[in-house]
Amino acid sequence: MKQSVPRDVLALFGIILIASGVGILVNAARHTPLALKYAGPAPRATRATSSTSIPMIGLDEMKTIVGRADVVIIDARPSVFFQAAHISGAISVPRDAFDAEFLKQKASLSRPGIAGIVVYCSGGDCEDSGTVAGKLQQAGIGPLAIYEGGWDEWSAETLSQK
Amino acid sequence: MERGDTFSKMNWKLLSVGRHLLAAAFLVAGALKWKNPAAFAESIAAFKILPTEWSNIVAILLPAVEIALGGLLLFGPWKRAASLGVMLASVFFTALLAQAWLRGMPLDCGCFGKWDPAAGHPIIAVSRDVIFAFVAFFSYHDFRRRPQSSSS
């Protein structure tokens, strides 16, 4: 005999209710609970004061840099955006996973022969590039520059040329 | 009623394997999201489907529900209700990814973390969830035909 759908829906509702309650309790018990209301991306650390000394470069200069073997381009955006699209040759060192990714890339960032490292993020109000550049500077990695226009400007320029 | 009049033994075994894999997928996906709810909340906000202020609530609740559905589908009780939930969730994720793809948005539901082979590959991601939905649908259909005690 076929079982009733409404009964299954009721059971499912009960499962969701109980699981949700458990989820809320577990979140409350976390070392750093997630606030119930989303207030934007995770609070960024204030830019390291030393990052104010990191020079900004514009689109024209960035065009001369992309493709150079002696310059490392770093994408500071969350990895999901890097995977979707990024400046050719860039590597991903997201602000929100800096410690783990920097460990992996440290050797390549400090190898001999590097003329410079350029960091970018979305552009505009995005502070991730400054944060990542500041942390790199604190780690003794350099020389550094920040591509101020970021992915938004680069992708628009690339599209306009097609 | 004989199960064989609808599913041959081979089909039933295939369905059983598919159901176990589906349950495991939901368990893994839920666990990965539960591990880093802040990052998952940002993924939710990026889809721009819900009001952004809801992103944290969804990031807190959804992984727990996924783990519950995956666990119940695998171990019971309430496997029938769990398969219904998994089917509805898979349909929802399919629609979510498909609309993001059509809108040209970066596609990553954060489902399987950075090891997700479908990350950045919209066709694979959408196809995966469509397959999940079908497996869950046939599982639910199979459970409904069983005697009550065997599927609760």
Side-chain angles (χ1 to χ4, degrees):
Chain A
M1 183 176 69
K2 290 189 178 181
Q3 306 300 324
S4 72
V5 173
R7 185 181 165 188
D8 295 336
V9 171
L10 205 60
L12 177 60
F13 183 72
I15 292 170
I16 292 172
L17 209 60
I18 294 171
S20 299
V22 171
I24 289 173
L25 286 174
V26 168
N27 179 68
R30 284 181 192 268
H31 181 63
T32 49
L34 198 64
L36 293 183
K37 188 175 176 184
Y38 183 75
R44 291 167 170 78
T46 54
R47 291 191 189 203
T49 51
S50 58
S51 74
T52 56
S53 63
I54 298 175
M56 300 283 189
I57 64 172
L59 179 63
D60 291 336
E61 192 168 354
M62 192 65 184
K63 285 180 181 177
T64 67
I65 286 171
V66 172
R68 282 177 57 176
D70 60 344
V71 176
V72 177
I73 301 174
I74 290 179
D75 189 323
R77 299 174 299 160
S79 59
V80 58
F81 295 107
F82 176 83
Q83 287 166 7
H86 53 269
I87 294 177
S88 176
I91 62 173
S92 175
V93 182
R95 187 265 314 156
D96 60 1
F98 178 83
D99 292 336
E101 292 303 319
F102 176 62
L103 264 178
K104 294 179 196 170
Q105 303 288 354
K106 193 175 178 182
S108 63
L109 291 174
S110 46
R111 70 177 191 272
I114 287 188
I117 297 167
V118 177
V119 186
Y120 75 92
C121 60
S122 302
D125 295 333
C126 176
E127 296 182 0
D128 288 355
S129 54
T131 303
V132 167
K135 290 186 176 185
L136 289 171
Q137 191 173 59
Q138 286 178 336
I141 303 293
L144 292 160
I146 295 173
Y147 170 36
E148 195 171 15
W151 172 250
D152 290 349
E153 183 182 62
W154 184 264
S155 58
E157 174 69 12
T158 308
L159 277 173
S160 68
Q161 289 184 353
K162 284 187 179 170
Chain B
M1 180 178 293
E2 293 291 329
R3 186 181 292 118
D5 60 348
T6 305
F7 293 106
S8 66
K9 279 188 178 177
M10 177 69 81
N11 284 343
W12 183 83
K13 283 181 182 173
L14 275 174
L15 182 61
S16 181
V17 168
R19 184 170 58 241
H20 283 79
L21 289 174
L22 179 58
F26 263 66
L27 281 171
V28 168
L32 287 171
K33 294 187 191 94
W34 201 333
K35 196 178 166 191
N36 192 348
F40 182 44
E42 293 193 21
S43 293
I44 294 169
F47 273 93
K48 296 178 182 173
I49 287 291
L50 299 170
T52 51
E53 53 267 24
W54 292 9
S55 301
N56 277 10
I57 273 281
V58 175
I60 291 167
L61 301 183
L62 186 58
V65 172
E66 278 187 303
I67 290 171
L69 291 177
L72 289 171
L73 187 60
L74 205 54
F75 305 113
W78 308 309
K79 287 184 180 180
R80 199 171 65 238
S83 64
L84 175 63
V86 167
M87 179 182 71
L88 294 173
S90 299
V91 169
F92 173 72
F93 290 143
T94 303
L96 192 66
L97 290 173
Q99 66 82 32
W101 179 23
L102 290 172
R103 289 162 69 188
M105 297 168 67
L107 259 191
D108 185 7
C109 58
C111 298
F112 295 96
K114 60 181 179 180
W115 296 282
D116 188 352
H121 299 285
I123 294 177
I124 296 175
V126 173
S127 302
R128 176 188 63 200
D129 285 335
V130 168
I131 291 170
F132 282 176
F134 271 107
V135 171
F137 170 75
F138 285 116
S139 292
Y140 180 60
H141 177 71
D142 182 48
F143 281 134
R144 287 188 67 213
R145 294 180 62 84
R146 294 186 192 181
Q148 184 173 349
S149 60
S150 66
S151 64
S152 295

